[in-house]
Amino acid sequence: HELTAYVKEMGYTHVELMGIAEHPYDGSWGYQVTGYFAPTSRYGSPSDFMYFVNYLHRHGIGVILDWVPAHFPKDAHGLADFDGEPLYEYADPRKGEHPDWGTKVFDYGKNEVKDFLISNAIFWVEKFHVDGLRVDAVASMLYLDYGRQSGQWIPNKNGGNQNLEAIEFFKHLNTVLRGRNSGAMMIAEESTAWPKVTDHPEVDGLGFTFKWNMGWMHDFLEYMKLDPYFRKYNHHRMTFGLTYFTSENYILVLSHDEVVHLKCSMINKMPGLGKDKFSNLKAGYTYMLGHPGKKLLFMGQDFGQCHEWDEKVALDWQLTDDEDHRDLQNYVRDLLQLYRKYPALYQLDNDWNGFMWVNANDGDRSIFSFIRRDETDRKSLLFVINFTPVARPDYRVGVPKKGKYTRLLDSEHGAYKASEAQSYVSAKGECDGQPYSFAYPLPGYGTAIFRF
């Protein structure tokens, strides 16, 4: 009940749960599964989980589960050597074991194993009514040499490193599950440039609905961690994702993996001290919201959780009593509410018509300006984001049309009520390669979103 109230108040559309299938080791976070058809008893009974999903659905919140068909642990009470010999896993350890993880790999060449996994995916969607599955570690399934040194893996029949059986499994899995359940999402955590992950199997795609954009995540975090002085030399990290955003149906992710193992929490990745950290994170989240692709934040990132995520302890919710943390939380809420209100932010996420740079090359000032459009081209949004603490009182931004540009949100105020919103009128004259422009004094770390 508390989760649902919070998710609704903030403006999220879905929750994604880390692995909840039964697992023996807390430290695996649910990603080393022994009971594929059992919600873990840590949180209650199967009927309790049904109530959880149903309650979220009744309040308009979707539920996505992390699902792990890539590997399973060696525990004797699990699937390993199930009948005394390799049954679910490949018999040859060069295919049947992950050296890095110390786990077994499913034998995707066996029809019985494929049926087991596909029926399990269907079980969660049809029995528990979850809205989608995020498939963990897809790359480890697609590549025979994933995490293996020379001599530790066997090439396929064509001499390549692709696991042909796993490729066929994905096509079969996604065709069956999405065919039986219209609207169900299948999301791939795929960290390489494997082609056509979200294309239909009829055109040799894998058939997923969405793909996690891990490349964007790495570039974004590397840029955000930099001292602002050095950002002008790394401007390309923030623009590169816009060269390929139409190639797949992407989700931009800042997941649990980015805030564990000494990688720092999101707020502590930011350069500077005190309020500068919060200003940096506001600018980063604004850029993320405007960038094409669905969005995923891990818990605690919306209010500036300070310590790294730890499965053994709760989040530091008391931080929201602090002015800076509460201000960040309110700002993220305002961003999410804008996202829900304006189709320009999600309707054409993998269409060139949905995004236009105003100025992608203002690297010396580390300012980004761009436009998001929907199918009507009537309620477009202009983004301006300054990634340095240097104020630009003489800033002008180029725009494509004559008329009023209404400020919906900025970093100092958050979202404006309709009665408070200020409009800026464009004047004719080339700026940023556009035929019109208007002046907007841009504060240090300033962000602004305008409707036109």
Side-chain angles (χ1 to χ4, degrees):
H1 295 187
E2 288 178 290
L3 173 66
T4 303
Y6 182 76
V7 166
K8 284 189 71 174
E9 179 191 353
M10 289 295 289
Y12 294 105
T13 61
H14 293 72
V15 296
E16 178 177 327
L17 305 181
M18 296 168 70
I20 63 148
E22 194 59 86
H23 53 283
Y25 176 47
D26 289 350
S28 79
W29 308 332
Y31 295 106
Q32 294 193 13
V33 180
T34 50
Y36 272 80
F37 287 83
T40 176
S41 58
R42 290 167 177 80
Y43 309 125
S45 67
S47 59
D48 290 333
F49 182 56
M50 290 176 176
Y51 178 87
F52 172 86
V53 175
N54 192 41
Y55 189 84
L56 283 159
H57 281 169
R58 277 163 40 204
H59 290 84
I61 306 299
V63 181
I64 299 166
L65 289 190
D66 282 8
W67 183 63
V68 192
H71 63 133
F72 55 91
K74 296 179 179 179
D75 298 70
H77 50 276
L79 300 178
D81 294 323
F82 193 73
D83 61 350
E85 59 182 29
L87 184 65
Y88 286 88
E89 64 267 41
Y90 288 108
D92 190 324
R94 290 175 295 176
K95 287 183 75 173
E97 292 192 17
H98 276 302
D100 289 347
W101 301 336
T103 53
K104 298 286 190 178
V105 181
F106 283 105
D107 183 345
Y108 308 107
K110 289 183 179 177
N111 287 330
E112 298 86 350
V113 171
K114 286 188 288 188
D115 287 350
F116 170 80
L117 290 171
I118 292 171
S119 65
N120 183 244
I122 290 170
F123 168 77
W124 292 106
V125 173
E126 297 185 5
K127 185 73 173 175
F128 290 98
H129 300 171
V130 302
D131 301 280
L133 300 174
R134 174 269 199 181
V135 184
D136 182 62
V138 167
S140 75
M141 300 169 64
L142 292 173
Y143 296 96
L144 293 166
D145 58 348
Y146 184 93
R148 296 175 174 90
Q149 303 299 318
S150 179
Q152 292 182 327
W153 62 282
I154 313 169
N156 63 32
K157 63 183 180 182
N158 302 320
N161 66 340
Q162 303 86 6
N163 188 330
L164 304 178
E165 297 150 356
I167 295 166
E168 194 57 38
F169 164 72
F170 282 132
K171 293 177 180 180
H172 190 181
L173 164 73
N174 291 324
T175 303
V176 170
L177 190 137
R178 296 179 66 189
R180 286 172 59 115
N181 300 278
S182 177
M185 293 179 284
M186 294 296 287
I187 303 166
E189 186 211 7
E190 204 287 303
S191 53
T192 73
W194 189 279
K196 297 186 175 182
V197 173
T198 56
D199 263 357
H200 197 278
E202 288 181 358
V203 292
D204 203 29
L206 296 183
F208 285 96
T209 320
F210 295 108
K211 169 181 169 169
W212 275 21
N213 194 338
M214 310 295 278
W216 172 87
M217 177 271 293
H218 285 293
D219 288 340
F220 175 79
L221 291 180
E222 287 303 309
Y223 181 87
M224 292 305 303
K225 288 188 288 188
L226 288 169
D227 184 295
Y229 180 83
F230 298 105
R231 285 176 175 166
K232 60 187 174 185
Y233 306 115
N234 290 267
H235 198 74
H236 63 283
R237 291 187 184 276
M238 295 291 262
T239 59
F240 182 56
L242 277 308
T243 65
Y244 63 82
F245 77 93
T246 60
S247 62
E248 302 277 7
N249 297 328
Y250 283 116
I251 298 177
L252 310 182
V253 294
L254 296 173
S255 73
H256 65 280
D257 278 329
E258 281 65 76
V259 291
V260 292
H261 300 326
L262 304 180
K263 296 175 190 170
C264 291
S265 63
M266 283 302 298
I267 194 70
N268 282 327
K269 291 182 196 292
M270 299 300 109
L273 298 171
K275 290 185 182 296
D276 278 357
K277 287 185 175 292
F278 291 90
S279 298
N280 269 288
L281 198 48
K282 280 185 180 181
Y285 284 160
T286 309
Y287 189 85
M288 180 182 184
L289 181 94
H291 193 293
K294 313 309 177 199
K295 330 293 175 191
L296 180 144
L297 290 179
F298 187 62
M299 57 185 183
Q301 292 175 353
D302 50 11
F303 65 80
Q305 167 78 15
C306 288
H307 73 70
E308 286 189 330
W309 178 63
D310 182 346
E311 81 278 1
K312 298 184 291 297
V313 298
L315 297 180
D316 292 333
W317 288 104
Q318 71 275 8
L319 290 174
T320 56
D321 294 332
D322 174 85
E323 181 183 353
D324 289 334
H325 291 273
R326 185 170 62 252
D327 180 57
L328 175 63
Q329 185 185 39
N330 290 337
Y331 186 79
V332 172
R333 182 197 62 208
D334 290 347
L335 289 176
L336 295 175
Q337 300 291 355
L338 277 182
Y339 183 88
R340 293 175 70 110
K341 184 175 181 180
Y342 289 95
L345 293 172
Y346 57 81
Q347 204 169 65
L348 300 176
D349 262 345
N350 61 339
D351 186 326
W352 285 109
N353 294 317
F355 179 90
M356 184 185 88
W357 280 114
V358 172
N359 192 338
N361 302 310
D362 199 352
D364 285 344
R365 297 189 296 181
S366 297
I367 298 173
F368 298 85
S369 51
F370 56 88
I371 289 167
R372 292 299 309 273
R373 301 191 188 98
D374 64 12
E375 290 174 342
T376 67
D377 199 18
R378 288 181 182 170
K379 287 189 177 180
S380 300
L381 299 178
L382 166 68
F383 284 71
V384 178
I385 307 168
N386 179 5
F387 278 102
T388 73
V390 181
R392 306 291 180 180
D394 58 344
Y395 182 72
R396 290 190 75 85
V397 60
V399 290
K401 294 179 180 179
K402 179 181 180 181
K404 288 196 304 184
Y405 290 75
T406 303
R407 183 173 55 183
L408 301 176
L409 170 145
D410 65 38
S411 52
E412 294 184 1
H413 184 276
Y416 288 87
K417 295 178 182 176
S419 59
E420 301 171 336
Q422 183 178 355
S423 292
Y424 298 77
V425 179
S426 61
K428 191 166 180 61
E430 190 276 336
C431 179
D432 293 327
Q434 302 298 318
Y436 299 90
S437 69
F438 65 87
Y440 180 72
L442 192 58
Y445 295 126
T447 69
I449 303 175
F450 303 86
R451 184 189 70 231
F452 66 97

